[in-house]
């Protein structure tokens, strides 16, 4: 499949057209950002590590019954994906309270939740990705009731597949963010699943192995992503 025109350039990934308008080429760049793009940097090897990480996780999710946009990895930093019609909503599941939920609700950082919790956010950096509810999604017609239910169901299903996968690698899956899109009348998981969009803590020490290392200037950002990858058995990284 040939790489066509650049269709979209995000904060960490670029999307290119291909010969087939149902297929896109997704490139993971070394760029990173936090705080809605206000803090940026380039981190050597991040694109490569994230492309491998994403392909591994998406494959595990497919095996666990969650349909994803991933078709194949084509080289170290690029993957072919289905061309989804993206829903502009972010779906977050949390197993442990940290990050924005602690600021919003005043709960203790690191608190283990009685049961995983679920939140929707609007994908809009200028508005700082505000938290929204299903009524907002319906009122502004960002998605249908059926799609809202399916996104919720698929996000919890993702948690059920990934919590044990990470646990077996000595890692706690603290929280994560997913984005979905439409393709052939069904919802597919799109975007990415990498340490850029989730929180991963070492099960013993609670050391952070995710983008909080960048957000909080803890250093060894890509090195920590690679520790997580290696523990999961992701090769070539
Ligand atoms: P939060 O604590 O900042 O709300 O983030 C919860 C999880 O979702 C965390 O793993 C980071 C991820 N996330 C993103 O990757 N991008 C986003 O825009 C948001 C709101 C969350
Ligand atoms: N939407 C946020 C940003 O990219 C998420 C983050 O802080 O990672 O700035």
């Amino acid at each position: 499949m040939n790489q066509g025109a650049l269709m979209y350039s995000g904060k960490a990934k670029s999307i290119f057209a291909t010969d087939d308008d149902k297929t896109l080429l997704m490139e993971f760049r070394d760029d990173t950002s936090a705080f809605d793009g206000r803090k940026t940097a380039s981190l050597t090897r991040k694109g490569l590590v994230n492309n491998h990480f994403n392909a591994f996780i998406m494959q595990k999710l497919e095996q666990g019954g969650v349909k994803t946009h991933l078709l194949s990895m084509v080289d170290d930093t690029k993957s072919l994906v289905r061309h989804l019609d993206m829903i502009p909503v972010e779906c977050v599941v949390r197993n442990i309270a940290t990050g924005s939920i602690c600021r919003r609700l005043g709960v203790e950082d690191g608190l283990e939740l009685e049961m995983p919790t679920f939140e929707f956010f609007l994908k809009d950096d200028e508005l700082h990705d505000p938290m929204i509810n299903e009524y907002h999604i319906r009122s502004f017609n960002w998605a249908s009731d059926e799609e809202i239910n399916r996104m919720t169901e698929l996000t919890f299903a993702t948690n059920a597949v990934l919590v044990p996968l990470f646990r077996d690698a000595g890692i706690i899956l603290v929280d994560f963010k997913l984005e979905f899109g439409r393709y052939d009348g069904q919802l597919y998981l799109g975007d990415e699943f990498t340490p850029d969009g989730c929180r991963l803590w070492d099960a013993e020490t609670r050391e952070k192995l995710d983008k909080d290392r960048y957000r909080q200037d803890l250093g060894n950002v890509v090195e920590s992503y690679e520790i997580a990858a290696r523990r999961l058995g992701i090769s070539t990284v």
Side-chain angles (χ1 to χ4, degrees):
M1 192 87 61
N2 291 313
Q3 179 172 328
L6 176 67
M7 304 231 338
Y8 175 78
S9 189
K11 288 173 287 181
K13 299 192 293 300
S14 299
I15 303 290
F16 298 88
T18 68
D19 307 332
D20 174 1
D21 62 11
K22 293 193 81 174
T23 305
L24 297 173
L25 188 67
M26 183 169 75
E27 179 192 18
F28 288 85
R29 306 194 313 270
D30 286 345
D31 300 318
T32 195
S33 75
F35 312 116
D36 309 312
R38 278 173 290 137
K39 173 174 173 177
T40 60
S42 176
L43 302 173
T44 306
R45 283 174 62 74
K46 187 177 78 90
L48 179 150
V49 173
N50 275 1
N51 188 40
H52 283 264
F53 201 106
N54 179 64
F56 176 86
I57 296 288
M58 294 264 169
Q59 196 191 321
K60 293 289 181 190
L61 290 173
E62 286 279 351
Q63 288 164 7
V66 177
K67 286 201 170 71
T68 80
H69 67 160
L70 187 83
L71 295 168
S72 61
M73 205 163 84
V74 294
D75 67 23
D76 273 338
T77 59
K78 299 190 196 84
S79 290
L80 282 174
V81 297
R82 292 184 176 89
H83 186 169
L84 309 186
D85 167 28
M86 294 303 292
I87 295 174
V89 155
E90 304 186 332
C91 301
V92 170
V93 156
R94 302 172 191 271
N95 297 302
I96 292 182
T98 193
S100 74
I101 198 171
C102 295
R103 293 192 292 276
R104 275 182 283 117
L105 304 182
V107 294
E108 177 200 339
D109 197 316
L111 182 73
E112 305 215 10
L113 304 180
E114 286 298 323
M115 54 175 279
T117 198
F118 182 93
E119 296 164 342
F120 285 117
F121 295 89
L122 179 64
K123 189 174 169 69
D124 189 325
D125 274 348
E126 280 183 25
L127 298 177
H128 310 297
D129 294 343
M131 192 163 82
I132 52 173
N133 64 33
E134 41 268 84
Y135 290 92
H136 298 124
I137 300 178
R138 288 300 297 120
S139 299
F140 298 106
N141 201 26
W142 291 318
S144 68
D145 274 331
E146 194 188 339
E147 288 171 333
I148 290 168
N149 291 338
R150 190 73 183 134
M151 287 193 286
T152 310
E153 181 180 53
L154 288 169
T155 307
F156 277 117
T158 296
N159 196 47
V161 171
L162 297 185
V163 163
L165 184 86
F166 281 103
R167 187 194 295 126
D168 290 348
I171 295 170
I172 302 169
L173 178 58
V174 172
D175 59 29
F176 60 88
K177 181 265 298 178
L178 302 181
E179 295 176 30
F180 293 92
R182 308 172 181 104
Y183 184 90
D184 279 352
Q186 282 192 59
L187 281 195
Y188 281 71
L189 175 59
D191 191 48
E192 64 179 288
F193 194 106
T194 70
D196 274 356
C198 67
R199 290 194 174 96
L200 304 174
W201 292 354
D202 180 284
E204 293 289 312
T205 64
R206 293 206 160 191
E207 188 187 2
K208 297 177 199 301
L209 303 172
D210 58 65
K211 194 157 114 178
D212 273 349
R213 296 203 73 86
Y214 175 67
R215 295 189 187 98
Q216 299 171 13
D217 295 317
L218 299 175
N220 294 328
V221 179
V222 180
E223 291 81 354
S224 301
Y225 290 19
E226 289 199 79
I227 290 171
R230 222 175 294 125
R231 288 204 205 159
L232 288 164
I234 302 173
S235 57
T236 73
V237 296

